Coordinates of all heavy atoms in Angstrom, one line a residue:
M1 N 47.1 -49.0 -16.3 CA 46.3 -47.9 -16.8 C 45.6 -48.2 -18.2 O 44.6 -47.6 -18.5 CB 47.3 -46.7 -17.0 CG 46.6 -45.4 -17.3 SD 45.7 -44.8 -15.9 CE 45.5 -43.2 -16.0
K2 N 46.2 -48.9 -19.1 CA 45.5 -49.2 -20.4 C 44.4 -50.1 -20.3 O 43.4 -49.8 -20.9 CB 46.6 -49.9 -21.3 CG 47.8 -49.1 -21.8 CD 48.5 -49.7 -22.8 CE 49.6 -48.8 -23.3 NZ 49.8 -49.0 -24.7
V3 N 44.3 -51.0 -19.3 CA 43.1 -51.7 -19.1 C 41.9 -51.0 -18.7 O 40.8 -51.1 -19.2 CB 43.3 -52.9 -18.1 CG1 42.2 -53.7 -17.7 CG2 44.5 -53.9 -18.6
K4 N 42.2 -50.0 -17.7 CA 41.1 -49.1 -17.2 C 40.6 -48.2 -18.3 O 39.5 -48.0 -18.5 CB 41.6 -48.3 -16.2 CG 40.7 -47.4 -15.5 CD 41.3 -46.6 -14.2 CE 40.4 -45.8 -13.5 NZ 41.0 -45.0 -12.5
H5 N 41.5 -47.8 -19.3 CA 41.2 -47.0 -20.4 C 40.3 -47.7 -21.4 O 39.2 -47.2 -21.9 CB 42.3 -46.4 -21.1 CG 42.1 -45.6 -22.3 ND1 41.5 -44.4 -22.2 CD2 42.3 -45.8 -23.6 CE1 41.3 -43.9 -23.5 NE2 41.8 -44.7 -24.3
K6 N 40.7 -49.0 -21.5 CA 39.7 -49.9 -22.5 C 38.5 -50.2 -21.9 O 37.5 -50.1 -22.6 CB 40.6 -51.2 -22.7 CG 41.7 -51.1 -23.6 CD 42.4 -52.4 -23.9 CE 43.5 -52.4 -24.8 NZ 44.2 -53.5 -25.1
I7 N 38.3 -50.3 -20.7 CA 37.1 -50.5 -20.0 C 36.2 -49.3 -20.1 O 34.9 -49.5 -20.4 CB 37.3 -51.1 -18.6 CG1 37.8 -52.4 -18.5 CG2 35.9 -51.0 -17.8 CD1 38.3 -52.8 -17.1
L8 N 36.8 -48.3 -19.8 CA 36.0 -47.0 -19.9 C 35.5 -46.7 -21.3 O 34.5 -46.2 -21.5 CB 36.8 -45.8 -19.3 CG 37.0 -45.8 -17.8 CD1 37.9 -44.6 -17.5 CD2 35.6 -45.7 -17.0
T9 N 36.3 -46.9 -22.2 CA 36.0 -46.8 -23.7 C 34.9 -47.8 -24.1 O 33.9 -47.4 -24.7 CB 37.3 -47.1 -24.6 OG1 38.2 -46.1 -24.3 CG2 36.8 -46.9 -26.0
G10 N 35.0 -49.0 -23.7 CA 33.9 -49.9 -23.9 C 32.5 -49.6 -23.3 O 31.5 -49.6 -23.8
I11 N 32.5 -49.0 -22.1 CA 31.5 -48.5 -21.3 C 30.7 -47.4 -22.1 O 29.7 -47.2 -22.3 CB 31.6 -48.2 -19.9 CG1 32.0 -49.6 -19.1 CG2 30.5 -47.5 -19.2 CD1 32.4 -49.4 -17.7
G12 N 31.6 -46.5 -22.6 CA 31.3 -45.3 -23.3 C 30.5 -45.6 -24.6 O 29.6 -45.2 -24.9
I13 N 31.2 -46.6 -25.5 CA 30.6 -47.0 -26.6 C 29.2 -47.8 -26.4 O 28.2 -47.5 -27.0 CB 31.5 -48.1 -27.3 CG1 32.8 -47.2 -27.9 CG2 30.8 -48.6 -28.5 CD1 33.7 -48.1 -28.3
L14 N 29.2 -48.6 -25.3 CA 27.8 -49.2 -24.9 C 26.9 -48.3 -24.6 O 25.7 -48.4 -24.9 CB 28.1 -50.3 -23.7 CG 26.9 -51.2 -23.4 CD1 26.6 -52.0 -24.6 CD2 27.3 -51.9 -22.1
A15 N 27.3 -47.2 -23.8 CA 26.2 -46.3 -23.5 C 25.7 -45.5 -24.6 O 24.4 -45.1 -24.8 CB 26.9 -45.2 -22.4
V16 N 26.6 -45.2 -25.6 CA 26.0 -44.5 -27.0 C 25.0 -45.4 -27.5 O 24.0 -44.9 -28.2 CB 27.3 -44.1 -27.7 CG1 26.8 -43.6 -29.1 CG2 28.1 -43.0 -27.0
I17 N 25.4 -46.7 -27.7 CA 24.4 -47.6 -28.4 C 23.2 -47.8 -27.8 O 22.2 -47.6 -28.4 CB 25.3 -49.0 -28.6 CG1 26.3 -48.9 -29.5 CG2 24.3 -50.1 -29.1 CD1 27.3 -50.1 -29.6
V18 N 23.2 -47.9 -26.4 CA 21.9 -48.0 -25.7 C 21.1 -46.7 -25.9 O 19.9 -46.7 -26.0 CB 22.1 -48.3 -24.2 CG1 21.0 -48.1 -23.4 CG2 22.7 -49.8 -24.1
S19 N 21.8 -45.7 -25.9 CA 21.1 -44.2 -26.0 C 20.5 -44.2 -27.4 O 19.3 -43.7 -27.4 CB 22.0 -43.2 -25.8 OG 22.4 -43.1 -24.4
I20 N 21.1 -44.7 -28.5 CA 20.5 -44.6 -29.7 C 19.2 -45.4 -29.9 O 18.2 -45.0 -30.4 CB 21.5 -45.0 -30.8 CG1 22.5 -43.8 -30.9 CG2 20.9 -45.1 -32.1 CD1 23.8 -44.1 -31.8
F21 N 19.3 -46.7 -29.3 CA 18.1 -47.5 -29.3 C 17.0 -47.1 -28.4 O 15.8 -47.2 -28.8 CB 18.5 -49.0 -28.9 CG 19.1 -49.8 -29.9 CD1 20.5 -50.3 -29.9 CD2 18.5 -50.1 -31.1 CE1 21.1 -51.0 -30.7 CE2 19.2 -50.8 -32.1 CZ 20.5 -51.3 -31.8
A22 N 17.3 -46.4 -27.3 CA 16.3 -45.8 -26.4 C 15.6 -44.6 -27.2 O 14.4 -44.5 -27.1 CB 16.9 -45.3 -25.2
W23 N 16.4 -43.8 -28.0 CA 15.8 -42.7 -28.7 C 15.0 -43.2 -29.9 O 14.0 -42.6 -30.1 CB 17.0 -41.8 -29.1 CG 16.6 -40.6 -29.9 CD1 15.5 -39.9 -29.9 CD2 17.4 -39.8 -30.8 NE1 15.4 -38.8 -30.8 CE2 16.7 -38.8 -31.4 CE3 18.8 -40.1 -31.3 CZ2 17.3 -38.0 -32.3 CZ3 19.2 -39.2 -32.1 CH2 18.6 -38.1 -32.7
A24 N 15.6 -44.1 -30.7 CA 15.0 -44.8 -31.9 C 14.7 -43.7 -32.8 O 13.4 -43.5 -33.3 CB 13.7 -45.5 -31.5
P25 N 15.5 -42.9 -33.4 CA 15.2 -41.8 -34.3 C 14.7 -42.2 -35.6 O 14.0 -41.5 -36.4 CB 16.5 -41.0 -34.7 CG 17.6 -42.1 -34.2 CD 17.0 -43.0 -33.2
W26 N 14.8 -43.4 -36.1 CA 14.3 -44.0 -37.3 C 12.9 -44.3 -37.3 O 12.3 -44.5 -38.3 CB 15.0 -45.2 -37.7 CG 15.0 -46.4 -36.8 CD1 13.9 -47.3 -36.6 CD2 15.7 -46.6 -35.6 NE1 14.1 -48.2 -35.5 CE2 15.2 -47.8 -34.9 CE3 17.0 -46.1 -35.2 CZ2 15.9 -48.1 -33.7 CZ3 17.5 -46.5 -34.1 CH2 17.1 -47.6 -33.3
M27 N 12.1 -44.1 -36.1 CA 10.8 -44.5 -36.1 C 10.0 -43.1 -36.4 O 9.9 -42.2 -35.6 CB 10.4 -44.9 -34.7 CG 11.1 -46.2 -34.5 SD 10.4 -46.9 -32.7 CE 8.8 -47.5 -33.1
D28 N 9.4 -43.1 -37.5 CA 8.5 -42.0 -38.0 C 7.0 -42.2 -37.5 O 6.5 -43.3 -37.4 CB 8.4 -42.1 -39.6 CG 7.6 -41.1 -40.2 OD1 7.6 -39.9 -39.6 OD2 6.9 -41.3 -41.1
D29 N 6.6 -41.1 -37.0 CA 5.2 -41.1 -36.3 C 4.2 -41.7 -37.2 O 3.3 -42.5 -36.9 CB 4.8 -39.8 -35.9 CG 5.6 -39.4 -34.5 OD1 6.4 -40.2 -34.0 OD2 5.4 -38.2 -34.2
K30 N 4.2 -41.2 -38.6 CA 3.1 -41.7 -39.4 C 3.4 -43.2 -39.7 O 2.2 -43.9 -39.8 CB 3.3 -40.9 -40.8 CG 2.4 -41.3 -41.9 CD 1.0 -41.1 -41.6 CE 0.1 -41.4 -42.8 NZ -1.2 -41.9 -42.6
A31 N 4.5 -43.7 -39.9 CA 4.8 -45.1 -40.2 C 4.3 -46.0 -38.9 O 3.7 -47.0 -39.1 CB 6.2 -45.3 -40.5
V32 N 4.5 -45.4 -37.7 CA 4.2 -46.1 -36.5 C 2.7 -46.2 -36.4 O 2.1 -47.2 -36.2 CB 4.8 -45.5 -35.3 CG1 4.2 -46.0 -34.0 CG2 6.3 -45.6 -35.2
Y33 N 2.0 -45.1 -36.8 CA 0.5 -45.0 -36.8 C 0.0 -46.0 -37.7 O -0.9 -46.9 -37.5 CB 0.0 -43.7 -37.0 CG -1.4 -43.5 -37.2 CD1 -2.2 -43.4 -36.0 CD2 -2.2 -43.5 -38.4 CE1 -3.6 -43.3 -36.1 CE2 -3.4 -43.6 -38.4 CZ -4.3 -43.4 -37.3 OH -5.6 -43.2 -37.4
D34 N 0.6 -46.1 -39.0 CA 0.2 -47.0 -40.0 C 0.3 -48.4 -39.6 O -0.6 -49.3 -39.8 CB 0.8 -46.7 -41.3 CG 0.4 -45.4 -41.9 OD1 -0.7 -44.9 -41.6 OD2 1.1 -44.9 -42.8
K35 N 1.4 -48.6 -38.9 CA 1.6 -50.0 -38.5 C 0.7 -50.6 -37.4 O 0.2 -51.7 -37.5 CB 3.0 -50.1 -37.8 CG 3.4 -51.5 -37.3 CD 4.9 -51.6 -36.9 CE 5.9 -51.9 -37.9 NZ 5.8 -53.0 -38.7
V36 N 0.2 -49.6 -36.5 CA -0.7 -50.0 -35.5 C -2.1 -50.2 -36.2 O -2.9 -51.2 -35.9 CB -0.8 -49.0 -34.4 CG1 -2.2 -49.1 -33.6 CG2 0.4 -48.8 -33.5
V37 N -2.5 -49.3 -37.1 CA -3.7 -49.6 -37.9 C -3.7 -50.9 -38.6 O -4.8 -51.6 -38.6 CB -4.0 -48.4 -38.8 CG1 -5.2 -48.6 -39.6 CG2 -4.2 -47.2 -37.9
Q38 N -2.6 -51.2 -39.3 CA -2.6 -52.5 -40.0 C -2.6 -53.7 -39.0 O -3.2 -54.7 -39.3 CB -1.2 -52.6 -40.7 CG -1.0 -53.7 -41.5 CD 0.3 -53.8 -42.2 OE1 1.2 -53.0 -42.0 NE2 0.6 -54.7 -43.0
H39 N -2.1 -53.5 -37.9 CA -2.0 -54.6 -36.8 C -3.4 -54.9 -36.2 O -3.7 -56.0 -36.2 CB -0.9 -54.2 -35.7 CG -1.1 -55.3 -34.7 ND1 -0.5 -56.4 -34.9 CD2 -1.5 -55.2 -33.5 CE1 -0.6 -57.2 -33.5 NE2 -1.2 -56.4 -32.7
D40 N -4.2 -53.8 -35.9 CA -5.5 -54.0 -35.2 C -6.6 -53.0 -35.8 O -7.0 -52.2 -34.9 CB -5.2 -54.0 -33.8 CG -6.3 -54.4 -33.0 OD1 -7.3 -55.0 -33.5 OD2 -6.2 -54.5 -31.7
S41 N -6.8 -52.9 -37.0 CA -7.6 -51.9 -37.7 C -9.1 -51.8 -37.1 O -9.5 -50.8 -36.9 CB -7.6 -52.1 -39.3 OG -8.3 -53.4 -39.6
E42 N -9.6 -53.0 -36.8 CA -11.0 -52.9 -36.3 C -11.1 -52.3 -34.9 O -12.0 -51.4 -34.7 CB -11.5 -54.5 -36.2 CG -13.0 -54.5 -35.9 CD -13.8 -54.0 -37.2 OE1 -13.4 -54.1 -38.4 OE2 -14.8 -53.3 -37.0
R43 N -10.2 -52.6 -34.0 CA -10.2 -52.0 -32.6 C -10.0 -50.5 -32.8 O -10.5 -49.6 -32.1 CB -9.3 -52.8 -31.7 CG -9.5 -52.3 -30.3 CD -8.6 -53.1 -29.5 NE -8.9 -54.4 -29.6 CZ -8.4 -55.4 -28.8 NH1 -7.4 -55.0 -28.0 NH2 -8.7 -56.7 -28.9
V44 N -9.1 -50.1 -33.7 CA -8.7 -48.8 -33.8 C -9.8 -47.9 -34.3 O -10.1 -46.9 -33.9 CB -7.3 -48.7 -34.8 CG1 -7.2 -47.2 -35.1 CG2 -6.2 -49.2 -34.1
K45 N -10.5 -48.4 -35.3 CA -11.7 -47.9 -36.0 C -12.8 -47.5 -34.9 O -13.4 -46.5 -34.7 CB -12.3 -48.5 -37.2 CG -11.4 -48.4 -38.3 CD -11.9 -49.3 -39.4 CE -10.9 -49.2 -40.7 NZ -11.4 -50.2 -41.7
I46 N -13.1 -48.6 -34.1 CA -14.0 -48.6 -33.0 C -13.6 -47.4 -31.9 O -14.5 -46.6 -31.6 CB -14.2 -49.9 -32.3 CG1 -14.9 -50.8 -33.3 CG2 -15.0 -49.7 -31.0 CD1 -14.9 -52.2 -32.7
A47 N -12.4 -47.4 -31.6 CA -11.9 -46.5 -30.7 C -11.8 -45.0 -31.3 O -12.2 -44.1 -30.5 CB -10.5 -46.8 -30.1
E48 N -11.5 -44.9 -32.4 CA -11.6 -43.5 -33.0 C -13.0 -43.0 -33.0 O -13.3 -41.8 -32.9 CB -11.0 -43.5 -34.4 CG -9.5 -43.6 -34.5 CD -8.9 -43.7 -35.8 OE1 -9.6 -43.7 -36.7 OE2 -7.6 -43.6 -35.9
N49 N -14.0 -43.9 -33.2 CA -15.4 -43.4 -33.3 C -15.9 -43.1 -31.9 O -16.6 -42.1 -31.8 CB -16.3 -44.6 -33.9 CG -16.1 -44.7 -35.3 OD1 -15.8 -43.8 -36.1 ND2 -16.4 -46.0 -35.9
I50 N -15.5 -43.7 -30.9 CA -15.9 -43.4 -29.5 C -15.2 -42.2 -28.9 O -15.8 -41.4 -28.5 CB -15.5 -44.8 -28.6 CG1 -16.3 -45.9 -28.9 CG2 -15.6 -44.3 -27.1 CD1 -16.0 -47.1 -28.2
C51 N -14.0 -42.1 -29.3 CA -13.3 -40.9 -28.8 C -13.2 -39.6 -29.7 O -12.6 -38.6 -29.4 CB -11.8 -41.3 -28.5 SG -11.7 -42.5 -27.3
D52 N -13.8 -39.9 -30.9 CA -13.8 -38.7 -31.8 C -12.4 -38.0 -32.0 O -12.1 -36.8 -32.0 CB -14.6 -37.4 -31.3 CG -16.2 -37.9 -31.4 OD1 -16.6 -38.8 -32.2 OD2 -17.0 -37.3 -30.5
G53 N -11.5 -39.0 -32.4 CA -10.2 -38.4 -32.7 C -9.2 -39.6 -33.0 O -9.5 -40.8 -32.8
Q54 N -8.2 -39.2 -33.8 CA -7.1 -40.2 -34.1 C -6.2 -40.5 -33.0 O -6.2 -39.9 -31.9 CB -6.4 -39.7 -35.2 CG -7.1 -39.6 -36.6 CD -6.1 -39.4 -37.7 OE1 -4.9 -39.1 -37.5 NE2 -6.6 -39.4 -38.9
L55 N -5.5 -41.6 -33.2 CA -4.6 -42.0 -32.2 C -3.4 -41.0 -32.2 O -3.1 -40.5 -33.1 CB -4.0 -43.4 -32.6 CG -4.8 -44.5 -32.6 CD1 -4.3 -45.8 -33.2 CD2 -5.4 -44.9 -31.2
E56 N -2.8 -40.8 -31.0 CA -1.6 -39.9 -30.8 C -0.5 -40.7 -30.6 O -0.4 -41.8 -29.9 CB -1.8 -39.0 -29.6 CG -3.0 -38.1 -29.8 CD -3.2 -37.2 -28.6 OE1 -2.3 -37.0 -27.6 OE2 -4.2 -36.6 -28.5
V57 N 0.8 -40.4 -31.3 CA 1.9 -41.1 -31.2 C 2.8 -40.3 -30.2 O 3.0 -39.0 -30.4 CB 2.7 -41.2 -32.6 CG1 4.0 -41.9 -32.4 CG2 1.7 -42.0 -33.5
S58 N 3.4 -41.0 -29.2 CA 4.2 -40.3 -28.2 C 5.4 -41.1 -28.1 O 5.5 -42.4 -28.2 CB 3.6 -40.4 -26.8 OG 2.3 -39.8 -26.9
W59 N 6.7 -40.4 -27.9 CA 7.9 -41.0 -27.7 C 8.0 -41.6 -26.3 O 7.6 -40.9 -25.3 CB 9.0 -40.0 -27.8 CG 10.4 -40.7 -27.7 CD1 11.1 -41.2 -28.4 CD2 11.0 -40.7 -26.4 NE1 12.3 -41.6 -27.9 CE2 12.3 -41.3 -26.5 CE3 10.8 -40.1 -25.0 CZ2 13.2 -41.4 -25.5 CZ3 11.7 -40.3 -24.0 CH2 13.0 -40.9 -24.3
I60 N 8.5 -42.9 -26.1 CA 8.9 -43.4 -24.8 C 10.1 -44.2 -25.1 O 10.4 -44.4 -26.3 CB 7.8 -44.3 -24.4 CG1 7.4 -45.6 -25.1 CG2 6.6 -43.6 -23.8 CD1 6.5 -46.5 -24.5
P61 N 11.1 -44.3 -24.2 CA 12.3 -45.0 -24.4 C 12.1 -46.3 -25.1 O 11.2 -47.2 -24.8 CB 12.9 -45.3 -23.0 CG 12.3 -44.1 -22.2 CD 10.9 -43.9 -22.7
F62 N 12.9 -46.7 -26.0 CA 12.9 -48.0 -26.9 C 11.7 -48.1 -27.6 O 11.4 -49.4 -28.0 CB 13.1 -49.2 -25.9 CG 14.5 -49.1 -25.1 CD1 14.4 -48.6 -23.8 CD2 15.6 -49.3 -25.7 CE1 15.5 -48.5 -23.1 CE2 16.8 -49.2 -25.0 CZ 16.9 -48.7 -23.7
G63 N 11.0 -47.2 -28.1 CA 9.8 -47.3 -28.9 C 8.9 -46.2 -28.9 O 9.3 -44.9 -28.6
R64 N 7.6 -46.4 -29.4 CA 6.6 -45.2 -29.4 C 5.3 -45.8 -28.7 O 5.0 -47.0 -28.8 CB 6.4 -44.9 -30.7 CG 7.5 -44.2 -31.6 CD 8.0 -42.9 -31.0 NE 9.0 -42.2 -31.8 CZ 10.3 -42.4 -31.6 NH1 10.8 -43.3 -30.6 NH2 11.2 -41.9 -32.4
F65 N 4.7 -44.9 -28.2 CA 3.3 -45.3 -27.6 C 2.2 -44.5 -28.3 O 2.2 -43.4 -28.5 CB 3.3 -44.9 -26.1 CG 2.0 -45.4 -25.4 CD1 1.9 -46.9 -25.1 CD2 1.0 -44.7 -24.9 CE1 0.9 -47.4 -24.5 CE2 -0.1 -45.2 -24.4 CZ -0.2 -46.6 -24.1
V66 N 1.3 -45.4 -28.8 CA 0.1 -45.0 -29.8 C -1.0 -45.1 -28.9 O -1.5 -46.4 -28.6 CB 0.2 -45.8 -31.1 CG1 -1.0 -45.1 -32.0 CG2 1.6 -45.6 -31.8
S67 N -1.8 -44.0 -28.6 CA -3.0 -44.3 -27.8 C -4.1 -43.1 -28.1 O -3.8 -42.1 -28.8 CB -2.6 -44.1 -26.4 OG -2.2 -42.7 -26.1
N68 N -5.2 -43.4 -27.6 CA -6.3 -42.3 -27.4 C -7.1 -42.8 -26.2 O -6.4 -43.5 -25.3 CB -7.1 -42.3 -28.7 CG -8.0 -43.6 -28.9 OD1 -8.0 -44.4 -28.2 ND2 -8.6 -43.5 -30.1
C69 N -8.2 -42.3 -26.0 CA -8.8 -42.4 -24.7 C -9.4 -43.9 -24.5 O -9.5 -44.3 -23.3 CB -10.1 -41.6 -24.5 SG -11.4 -42.0 -25.8
E70 N -9.3 -44.8 -25.4 CA -9.8 -46.1 -25.2 C -8.8 -47.2 -25.2 O -8.7 -48.2 -24.5 CB -10.8 -46.5 -26.4 CG -12.1 -46.1 -26.1 CD -12.9 -46.6 -25.0 OE1 -12.9 -48.0 -25.0 OE2 -13.4 -46.0 -24.3
I71 N -7.7 -47.1 -26.2 CA -6.7 -48.1 -26.4 C -5.2 -47.4 -26.3 O -5.1 -46.3 -26.5 CB -7.0 -49.0 -27.6 CG1 -6.9 -48.0 -28.8 CG2 -8.2 -49.7 -27.6 CD1 -7.0 -48.8 -30.1
G72 N -4.3 -48.3 -26.2 CA -2.9 -47.9 -26.2 C -2.0 -49.1 -26.8 O -2.3 -50.2 -26.4
Y73 N -1.0 -48.9 -27.6 CA -0.1 -49.7 -28.2 C 1.2 -49.3 -28.0 O 1.5 -48.2 -28.1 CB -0.4 -49.9 -29.6 CG -1.8 -50.4 -30.1 CD1 -2.8 -49.7 -30.3 CD2 -2.0 -51.8 -30.2 CE1 -4.0 -50.1 -30.7 CE2 -3.3 -52.4 -30.5 CZ -4.2 -51.5 -30.8 OH -5.4 -51.9 -31.2
F74 N 2.1 -50.2 -27.6 CA 3.5 -50.0 -27.5 C 4.2 -50.6 -28.8 O 3.9 -51.7 -29.2 CB 4.1 -50.6 -26.2 CG 5.6 -50.3 -26.2 CD1 6.3 -49.2 -26.1 CD2 6.4 -51.5 -26.3 CE1 7.6 -49.0 -26.2 CE2 7.8 -51.4 -26.2 CZ 8.3 -50.0 -26.2
V75 N 4.9 -49.7 -29.6 CA 5.6 -50.2 -30.8 C 7.0 -50.2 -30.5 O 7.6 -49.0 -30.2 CB 5.3 -49.3 -32.0 CG1 6.0 -49.9 -33.3 CG2 3.7 -49.3 -32.3
T76 N 7.7 -51.3 -30.4 CA 9.1 -51.5 -30.1 C 10.0 -50.8 -31.3 O 9.5 -50.7 -32.4 CB 9.5 -52.9 -29.8 OG1 9.3 -53.6 -31.1 CG2 8.7 -53.6 -28.8
F77 N 11.3 -50.6 -30.9 CA 12.1 -50.1 -31.9 C 12.4 -51.1 -33.1 O 12.9 -50.6 -34.2 CB 13.3 -49.6 -31.3 CG 14.2 -50.7 -30.7 CD1 15.2 -51.3 -31.5 CD2 14.2 -50.8 -29.3 CE1 16.1 -52.4 -31.0 CE2 15.1 -51.8 -28.8 CZ 15.9 -52.6 -29.6
W78 N 12.1 -52.4 -32.8 CA 12.2 -53.2 -34.0 C 10.9 -53.4 -34.6 O 10.9 -54.4 -35.6 CB 13.0 -54.6 -33.5 CG 12.1 -55.3 -32.6 CD1 11.1 -56.3 -33.0 CD2 12.2 -55.3 -31.2 NE1 10.7 -56.9 -31.8 CE2 11.3 -56.3 -30.7 CE3 12.9 -54.6 -30.3 CZ2 11.0 -56.5 -29.4 CZ3 12.7 -54.9 -28.8 CH2 11.8 -55.9 -28.4
G79 N 9.8 -52.9 -34.3 CA 8.5 -52.8 -35.0 C 7.5 -53.8 -34.4 O 6.5 -53.9 -35.1
K80 N 7.7 -54.4 -33.5 CA 6.6 -55.2 -32.9 C 5.6 -54.3 -32.3 O 5.8 -53.5 -31.4 CB 7.2 -56.2 -31.8 CG 6.2 -57.2 -31.3 CD 6.8 -58.2 -30.4 CE 5.7 -58.9 -29.6 NZ 5.5 -60.2 -30.1
V81 N 4.2 -54.7 -32.4 CA 3.2 -53.9 -31.9 C 2.7 -54.7 -30.6 O 2.2 -56.0 -30.9 CB 2.1 -53.8 -32.9 CG1 0.8 -53.0 -32.3 CG2 2.6 -52.9 -34.1
I82 N 2.5 -54.0 -29.5 CA 2.0 -54.7 -28.3 C 0.9 -53.9 -27.8 O 1.0 -52.8 -27.5 CB 3.1 -54.9 -27.2 CG1 4.3 -55.6 -27.9 CG2 2.6 -55.6 -25.9 CD1 5.5 -55.5 -26.9
L83 N -0.3 -54.6 -27.6 CA -1.4 -54.0 -27.0 C -1.3 -53.7 -25.5 O -0.9 -54.8 -24.8 CB -2.7 -54.8 -27.2 CG -4.0 -54.4 -26.7 CD1 -4.4 -53.0 -27.4 CD2 -5.1 -55.3 -27.0
S84 N -1.6 -52.6 -25.0 CA -1.3 -52.3 -23.6 C -2.5 -52.4 -22.8 O -3.6 -52.1 -23.3 CB -0.8 -50.8 -23.4 OG 0.5 -50.8 -24.1

């Protein structure tokens, strides 16, 4: 019975850790936006002029998605910017 209890406790702790990384509450929308602009400022400026609007930041599991009508970026929970 003790082994089963330890396994279930371990799975529960692992589920909580994965949930926290999927949620990524430490990612501030303004900071994510600034990171994308710093990463690819030229393309962002062109897209903002074409679409008449700023990039929008959306939550997705394990990061944020920053996009407008022209471009999209995935920002991982550890800060890497990936062009979609």
Side-chain angles (χ1 to χ4, degrees):
M1 191 66 158
K2 288 189 176 212
V3 173
K4 187 176 181 181
H5 181 68
K6 286 181 182 181
I7 291 172
L8 290 176
T9 302
I11 290 172
I13 291 171
L14 184 62
V16 168
I17 292 170
V18 169
S19 297
I20 289 172
F21 281 116
W23 177 28
W26 58 87
M27 296 182 75
D28 177 38
D29 287 352
K30 176 69 174 141
V32 170
Y33 177 85
D34 292 342
K35 184 177 266 311
V36 167
V37 170
Q38 180 184 8
H39 175 75
D40 200 1
S41 63
E42 195 64 37
R43 190 176 298 180
V44 168
K45 288 177 186 175
I46 291 170
E48 285 179 350
N49 288 335
I50 292 171
C51 297
D52 291 332
Q54 289 190 349
L55 297 171
E56 295 180 15
V57 180
S58 304
W59 175 87
I60 59 173
F62 302 102
R64 300 291 185 272
F65 190 70
V66 183
S67 66
N68 65 8
C69 67
E70 281 289 311
I71 58 175
Y73 295 92
F74 176 65
V75 182
T76 62
F77 65 85
W78 65 87
K80 182 173 171 105
V81 178
I82 302 168
L83 179 64
S84 298

